[in-house]
DNA sequence: GGCCAGGTCAAAG
DNA sequence: CTTTGACATGGC
């Protein structure tokens, strides 16, 4: 890892342009995990409505989620979309926490990262991005999160070839310092860049104002 | 009205 | 191992 590589310089440029993004100011690690599931392919504004509803009904807790009926849970999280699937996923997550961890999340996060990651991935409804988001933002473990924006941006910068999650994760991990706040901030900045400058529709790509314009190799997306 | 959003899974080539 | 369809609401 050298301080002059593109992967690291991109982080510096993005932070300089956009500033800290202040992601995931959840009041608890469990709330953060709930948000990670509810935000799957969904706008965060919709997730906020669902989390607020859960909180106001005192269901923002693994035991309370298990105690709730499917109908009640689905109703509370409906604004976040895919509400039947996500209600099921929240119950599976809660079951794991209650049954495997006795309700104590630290039991999970204190384990070796790969073991904790595998444990999360064993839950139906938790894939690589959700697992890694949980490890990074709730567990504060140094795991680089890859999402659709990161894949698209990395492709345009010529950083990755295949567009696979694992490859992108390896490359980002190898080229930035192992630092939890940096990982948290970099991921949030990539999402910010993706939303505002690197959209799927090429006609909407505002490459002229893009902070990484000079590094961008193509207008095309993978 | 159409596109998109801080993905994942099962089924199929 | 890669691709495809289903899942669903709300904002612009």
């Amino acid at each position: 890892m050298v301080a002059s590589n593109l992967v690291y310089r991109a982080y510096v440029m993005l932070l300089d342009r956009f500033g800290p993004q202040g992601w995931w100011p959840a009041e608890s690690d469990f709330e953060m995990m709930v948000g990670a599931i509810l935000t799957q392919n969904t706008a965060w504004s919709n997730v906020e409505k669902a989390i607020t509803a859960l909180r106001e009904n005192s269901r923002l807790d693994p035991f309370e989620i298990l105690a709730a009926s499917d109908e009640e849970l689905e109703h509370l999280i409906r604004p976040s979309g895919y509400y039947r699937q996500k209600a099921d996923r929240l119950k599976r997550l809660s079951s794991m926490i209650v049954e495997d961890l006795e309700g104590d999340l630290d039991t999970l996060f204190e384990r070796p990262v790969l073991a904790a990651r595998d444990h999360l991935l064993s839950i139906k409804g938790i894939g690589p991005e959700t697992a890694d988001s949980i490890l990074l933002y709730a567990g504060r473990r140094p795991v680089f999160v890859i999402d659709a924006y990161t894949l698209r941006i990395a492709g345009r910068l010529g950083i990755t070839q295949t567009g696979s999650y694992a490859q992108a994760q390896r490359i980002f991990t190898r080229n930035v310092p192992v630092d939890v706040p940096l990982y948290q901030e970099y991921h949030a900045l990539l999402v910010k860049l993706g939303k505002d400058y690197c959209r799927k529709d090429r006609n909407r790509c505002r490459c002229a104002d893009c902070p990484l314009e000079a590094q961008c190799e193509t207008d095309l997306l993978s």
Side-chain angles (χ1 to χ4, degrees), chain A residues 109-153:
Chain A
F109 296 137
E110 286 170 1
R111 296 174 58 193
V113 187
L114 285 186
R117 188 175 196 264
D118 284 343
H119 200 145
L120 288 167
L121 288 175
S122 73
I123 300 171
K124 190 196 295 184
I126 294 188
E129 183 182 341
T130 305
D132 290 343
S133 295
I134 287 171
L135 290 170
L136 178 61
Y137 291 98
R140 290 165 287 276
R141 309 305 309 274
V143 177
F144 204 97
V145 178
I146 302 298
D147 72 327
Y149 289 127
T150 304
L151 253 19
R152 192 186 310 160
I153 293 164

Side-chain angles (χ1 to χ4, degrees), chain A residues 36 52 58 92 143 155 162:
Chain A
T52 297
S58 304
R92 290 175 184 277
V143 177
T162 65

Side-chain angles (χ1 to χ4, degrees), chain A residues 21-213:
Chain A
Q21 298 299 297
W23 255 31
W24 257 319
E27 292 178 16
S28 69
D29 293 339
F30 182 70
E31 177 182 330
M32 183 277 144
M33 296 168 87
V34 169
I37 285 176
L38 296 184
T39 198
Q40 290 170 350
N41 202 41
T42 299
W44 184 253
S45 56
N46 286 4
V47 177
E48 289 181 313
K49 302 178 203 295
I51 289 181
T52 297
L54 288 170
R55 179 181 293 113
E56 290 179 346
N57 287 271
S58 304
R59 295 299 194 190
L60 208 44
D61 171 278
F63 295 93
E64 290 298 324
I65 282 183
L66 290 175
S69 67
D70 291 349
E71 292 71 24
E72 179 190 351
L73 194 54
E74 289 172 5
H75 173 71
L76 291 175
I77 69 170
R78 188 165 53 195
S80 68
Y82 307 131
Y83 56 86
R84 289 194 189 91
Q85 277 193 349
K86 286 175 177 176
D88 179 63
R89 289 173 185 186
L90 290 182
K91 286 212 167 187
R92 290 175 184 277
L93 171 66
S94 298
S95 291
M96 186 281 282
I97 293 171
V98 169
E99 292 170 16
D100 299 352
L101 310 177
E102 298 175 346
D104 180 18
L105 287 175
D106 290 335
T107 302
L108 173 69
F109 296 137
E110 286 170 1
R111 296 174 58 193
V113 187
L114 285 186
R117 188 175 196 264
D118 284 343
H119 200 145
L120 288 167
L121 288 175
S122 73
I123 300 171
K124 190 196 295 184
I126 294 188
E129 183 182 341
T130 305
D132 290 343
S133 295
I134 287 171
L135 290 170
L136 178 61
Y137 291 98
R140 290 165 287 276
R141 309 305 309 274
V143 177
F144 204 97
V145 178
I146 302 298
D147 72 327
Y149 289 127
T150 304
L151 253 19
R152 192 186 310 160
I153 293 164
R156 288 192 184 181
L157 294 178
I159 289 172
T160 57
Q161 323 298 334
T162 65
S164 87
Y165 190 102
Q167 189 205 13
Q169 190 171 47
R170 272 196 303 277
I171 292 182
F172 277 91
T173 299
R174 285 177 185 164
N175 288 284
V176 298
V178 179
D179 183 78
V180 168
L182 188 153
Y183 282 17
Q184 292 178 335
E185 198 56 60
Y186 199 174
H187 174 60
L189 286 165
L190 285 167
V191 172
K192 168 73 173 170
L193 176 70
K195 279 183 177 175
D196 295 353
Y197 296 92
C198 212
R199 320 215 61 186
K200 285 183 187 174
D201 184 343
R202 184 149 63 107
N203 296 322
R204 291 193 194 176
C205 181
R206 293 156 48 194
C207 287
D209 299 330
C210 179
L212 301 183
E213 178 201 359

